[in-house]
Amino acid sequence: MNIALPLKQTTASLSSAGTRLHNYQDLILLFNATFIETENTVLAKGDHEPIYIPARRSPQHHQIVFAHGYFASALHEIAHWCIAGKQRRLLEDYGYWYQPDGRNSKQQVEFEKVEVKPQAIEWAFSCASGKPFTVSTDNLNGAVANTQSFQEAVKRQIMLYLDHGFPPRAAEFMGILQRFYQTDNLHREMFDVESA
C-alpha cells in the first residue's frame, strides 16, 4: 500500500519538537488510503454514537463511523471492524448485541465478554500510535464493573495475539500506524497492566 500522499498531508501531526499529535483526521487518511480499494470501507467522523453502516449498493462504501472526532473512538471502531467476519460486515453494526450505558450486572458481564477482543486490538493500536490507553467498561450509569478484572482479560487476549498473530486487517493497520507515528514494534512489556 502506498501511503505517501497521507504522509505528506499529515506532516502537521508531528511537531518540530517531535511531539506526537493525535488527530482523528490522520486516522481517516491512513485508514482510507489502506482499505478503501481492498475492502471498500471508509472511516468517518460522526456526530453521535458510533455505528458501522454497510454499503447498500455500488458505488457506496461501507462506513465505520466513530463518535465526535475522538481518536480513541476511531481506534475502537476500527478494532471492531478488524474482527468482524465477511458476513458480519454486511450487517449494520455487524449484527452485534449492544445494550447501552445503564446495564445491570448480568448485562455488564455479557458486554465485557464481547469487548475483550476489540479492546485488546484497540490497546495495540494505541501503542502503535504512541498514545496511552485505558480500558472502558462503558457503563457510567449502570452496575459497577470490575475494571481491574476486565483489564486483565484484555491483557490476556493481547498476549494471545502477540503469541499467535493479530487478525490480518488489524496487523496491517498496526504496521501503518507504527510507520506513521514512528513507534517500536509491539512487545509484551508495552502491556504491563500497571503502566496502562
Side-chain angles (χ1 to χ4, degrees):
M1 197 229 44
N2 182 354
I3 61 169
L5 180 59
L7 286 175
K8 286 179 185 174
Q9 290 176 332
T10 55
T11 54
S13 294
L14 298 174
S15 75
S16 59
T19 302
R20 288 185 187 103
L21 301 178
H22 293 94
N23 298 314
Y24 74 83
Q25 297 92 335
D26 295 332
L27 291 179
I28 290 172
L29 288 169
L30 294 168
F31 183 91
N32 294 353
T34 306
F35 295 113
I36 196 168
E37 289 185 24
T38 60
E39 300 290 339
N40 191 37
T41 304
V42 296
L43 181 65
K45 174 190 168 286
D47 294 325
H48 303 290
E49 292 298 310
I51 189 167
Y52 172 78
I53 306 167
R56 300 289 181 220
R57 61 188 173 285
S58 186
Q60 290 180 335
H61 302 295
H62 307 294
Q63 293 181 55
I64 302 168
V65 181
F66 63 98
H68 309 289
Y70 297 136
F71 193 90
S73 176
L75 294 182
H76 184 76
E77 296 311 313
I78 294 168
H80 272 288
W81 177 80
C82 286
I83 61 172
K86 195 170 194 165
Q87 291 304 311
R88 288 262 188 201
R89 293 193 314 270
L90 298 176
L91 304 172
E92 186 170 303
D93 255 356
Y94 317 107
Y96 289 145
W97 165 89
Y98 180 74
Q99 180 71 34
D101 188 355
R103 293 178 291 275
N104 63 34
S105 296
K106 184 178 178 185
Q107 292 168 329
Q108 184 62 24
V109 168
E110 290 303 311
F111 170 82
E112 290 178 13
K113 282 182 189 175
V114 300
E115 278 292 308
V116 168
K117 287 183 180 181
Q119 290 205 28
I121 292 171
E122 179 190 352
W123 195 350
F125 286 163
S126 294
C127 285
S129 303
K131 183 148 178 67
F133 171 80
T134 303
V135 296
S136 174
T137 54
D138 192 29
N139 201 28
L140 299 175
N141 299 309
V144 176
N146 184 340
T147 305
Q148 183 65 32
S149 174
F150 181 55
Q151 183 167 327
E152 289 169 3
V154 172
K155 181 180 177 180
R156 283 191 300 275
Q157 182 61 54
I158 290 171
M159 296 304 120
L160 286 171
Y161 282 143
L162 287 172
D163 291 343
H164 302 287
F166 283 86
R169 286 171 284 138
E172 182 176 2
F173 196 59
M174 266 185 276
I176 297 296
L177 293 172
Q178 287 170 320
R179 286 190 292 281
F180 181 74
Y181 288 104
Q182 302 170 11
T183 58
D184 294 333
N185 289 330
L186 300 183
H187 52 85
R188 297 174 86 82
E189 294 75 23
M190 290 176 156
F191 303 99
D192 287 339
V193 173
E194 295 74 29
S195 66

